[in-house]
Amino acid sequence: MPEHPLPFTNRGTLPLGRWTVSLDEASTYVETRDSTLRGELWREWWSLVSAVRAAVCAVPACWLAGSFFTSKVTPGDIDCVFILRRDHVEAARVDPAKSAVIEVVGRNQVKRDLNLEVDTFILEWWPRPGPHRGSNARRIRDYLENRGYWDDLWLRDRHISADNVAASGIPTRGYLEVIVDGYT
């Protein structure tokens, strides 16, 4: 069995942080005690990546998290934030078939509409030299806010008991940034 690029912590999670890995490195998390279930979830995620790629030309990266990337024997699904170029998403919205894919993925309706065990979200990446102010200041602010939201969410343990609310706000785990087609 190939070794994971990031071994699990003693809590059974990825180490704290966003960890950039290749597709091959991410796929090593399929090879565990229950590779049948994990293999099926991975194939479902990959078929979704292929559909999104067909709609927007390229998928630069995906942020992956959830029980799939823990020591949990039976993961429920894969949590995925697709990092997609804003201009590619806008171009896809002109075509009804491509727009339908973007809507299903962006509204986290993949389980309901496509029967795939993947929770999905889209972060529209706007390639810029920096967070400039200007005529698009609101769009830039929205992008930075959304990027921070997802980063913060994936670093938290959302399964801490309700009687320990303070602990749920402390970053304790990691997630993967899987480079698919690359940032170009």
Side-chain angles (χ1 to χ4, degrees), residues 50-64:
S50 298
V52 172
R53 181 188 273 154
V56 296
C57 302
V59 174
C62 292
W63 287 357
L64 300 180

Side-chain angles (χ1 to χ4, degrees), residues 12-182:
T13 63
L14 293 172
L16 180 61
R18 175 168 39 108
W19 302 97
T20 303
V21 298
S22 69
L23 275 168
D24 286 342
E25 290 171 321
S27 72
T28 65
Y29 293 95
V30 175
E31 308 285 332
T32 64
R33 293 176 295 245
D34 183 6
S35 61
T36 303
L37 172 61
R38 287 179 185 274
E40 180 58 32
L41 290 173
W42 191 252
R43 282 186 294 279
E44 289 183 10
W45 173 75
W46 185 248
S47 72
L48 188 60
V49 169
S50 298
V52 172
R53 181 188 273 154
V56 296
C57 302
V59 174
C62 292
W63 287 357
L64 300 180
S67 60
F68 190 90
F69 299 98
T70 68
S71 61
K72 187 174 181 179
V73 175
T74 309
D77 59 14
I78 295 177
D79 296 342
C80 177
V81 175
F82 284 90
I83 312 295
L84 306 175
R85 282 183 62 125
R86 177 184 296 272
D87 54 337
H88 292 179
V89 171
E90 288 174 354
R93 286 195 171 114
V94 175
D95 178 298
K98 293 177 179 180
S99 182
V101 171
I102 296 302
E103 289 303 309
V104 167
V105 172
R107 294 177 188 233
N108 192 21
Q109 296 173 339
V110 168
K111 287 181 178 178
R112 185 190 78 189
D113 293 355
L114 303 178
N115 201 31
L116 301 175
E117 293 303 317
V118 185
D119 282 331
T120 59
F121 310 93
I122 293 175
L123 175 60
E124 293 184 25
W125 171 52
W126 201 0
R128 304 182 56 79
H132 297 296
R133 297 178 187 256
S135 61
N136 292 311
R138 181 170 182 217
R139 290 178 98 182
I140 295 167
R141 186 177 59 247
D142 289 348
Y143 163 72
L144 294 172
E145 181 179 311
N146 286 329
R147 186 176 177 92
Y149 169 83
W150 289 113
D151 181 70
D152 189 62
L153 181 70
W154 295 147
L155 294 174
R156 293 172 186 248
D157 185 347
R158 297 182 313 274
H159 303 291
I160 293 176
S161 67
D163 60 333
N164 195 359
V165 175
S168 69
I170 298 170
T172 59
R173 64 183 185 158
Y175 65 96
L176 300 180
E177 177 176 39
V178 180
I179 304 303
V180 180
D181 295 315

